[in-house]
Amino acid sequence: MNEPVLEIKNLNVDYGLGDQAVHAVRDVNLTLHRGEVLGLAGESGSGKSTLAYGLTRLLAPPGVVSGGEVIYHPEQGEPYDVLGLTDRQLQAFRWAETAIVFQGAMNSLNPVHKISTQLTDVLAAHEPQMSSHSRNARAREMLKLVGISADRMDAYPHQLSGGMRQRVMIGMALILQPQVVIMDEPTTALDVVMQRQILGQLIELRERLGFSVIFITHDLSLLVEFSNRIAIMYGGRIVEEAQAATLYKDSLHPYSNGLLSSFPALRGPRRELAGIPGSPPDLKGMPSGCSFHPRCPKAFDPCADNIPVLGRPDTPDGATRTVACWLHPVQQTVG
Ligand code: SF4
């Protein structure tokens, strides 16, 4: 899992222009490796979804990518910057190389078209040379892969349960066998049992088909269970990144600790949920210095005036993780 498939370099996303611009994503550097599940966690408004929309160029105005690169490494051929693609190239890139499953995706299906039509439409747009028979066969195969009987091909969305509709959306995202799948809060609207079933199945499919996943959620407990690595966002910046097990056992950033203590422990004795005091920062008026300092139980002298840089901490496992906090001096900055 060391070969990169997507490299996000110094990505900045703003809403609005000039002095009025709100900086929603700031200097984000992240690498997704082949076959990996990279979790992205943070409270609402931390910039997770804006990052996903920015890197796939799906931002609606007044959102604008104001800087950075998103380097995609195809299976064959030279890497290229997604931000530099023409509209036609971008159309070919979406679904075929990178697919996204949106928040509330199960409500994104067109209510007046059968499931079969919605699945085969993707194939018709991207592989026009494919016969109608082959498209139908591929759609049936995809439904089976996501755990839906092929005889539901002719169902309308309202005839399926919420979990089944979400599976159809995942099937649609995978139908062209993209290398990268971005899941933006994919199971938030489902109950806990269904969430785990669908995510377990997604991980199984990833092992079989070999794609990589960026999995965005505010639910850190889900990420600990299903991700290889986790990046934590706060105020539009990455504040910590580590292997999932490392972050769970030994997170360094006080915000990561706060997020972890907001969910029940996966194992071991019951503990009281502590949560994080205060509210996420207003992006129009970010606090000075470390943007977490007004809520941080460990804030000290430098925190209110100086922004901590993201870098490799001076710890035995420092080569495999990053953090941005004045409590942890960094040896090498990232970005
Ligand atoms: Fe807390 Fe200071 Fe670290 Fe920010 S830099 S998380 S305020 S200790």
Side-chain angles (χ1 to χ4, degrees), residues 78-90:
E78 291 300 308
Y80 52 84
D81 186 358
V82 178
L83 303 182
L85 295 179
T86 62
D87 287 350
R88 184 181 280 261
Q89 289 169 327
L90 192 59

Side-chain angles (χ1 to χ4, degrees), residues 9 29 258 265:
K9 298 184 175 181
N29 288 282

Side-chain angles (χ1 to χ4, degrees), residues 133-155:
H133 177 76
S134 304
R135 274 183 223 145
N136 271 309
R138 178 88 151 268
R140 280 172 184 279
E141 190 190 332
M142 212 60 239
L143 274 190
K144 267 202 265 173
L145 265 184
V146 294
I148 298 179
S149 162
D151 62 15
R152 305 309 301 272
M153 279 276 282
D154 284 333

Side-chain angles (χ1 to χ4, degrees), residues 253-255 290-293 296-300 303 308 324-327:
H253 198 283
Y255 179 60
C290 170
S291 55
F292 187 55
H293 86 261
C296 180
K298 296 193 173 166
F300 63 118
C303 303
C325 171
W326 289 116
L327 289 170

Side-chain angles (χ1 to χ4, degrees), residues 104-119:
M106 63 182 191
N107 297 322
S108 311
L109 290 164
N110 189 326
V112 300
H113 287 301
K114 291 177 179 174
I115 298 305
S116 52
T117 312
Q118 304 195 47
L119 285 167

Side-chain angles (χ1 to χ4, degrees), residues 55-128:
L55 72 92
T56 47
R57 291 180 54 191
L58 285 167
L59 277 172
V64 57
V65 175
S66 54
E69 292 175 295
V70 178
I71 306 297
Y72 177 70
H73 296 253
E75 263 186 314
Q76 283 160 3
E78 291 300 308
Y80 52 84
D81 186 358
V82 178
L83 303 182
L85 295 179
T86 62
D87 287 350
R88 184 181 280 261
Q89 289 169 327
L90 192 59
Q91 210 174 355
F93 173 80
R94 286 188 186 139
W95 295 96
E97 304 291 343
T98 295
I100 182 162
V101 179
F102 297 102
Q103 285 182 32
M106 63 182 191
N107 297 322
S108 311
L109 290 164
N110 189 326
V112 300
H113 287 301
K114 291 177 179 174
I115 298 305
S116 52
T117 312
Q118 304 195 47
L119 285 167
T120 52
D121 269 0
V122 180
L123 294 168
H126 284 265
E127 298 188 12

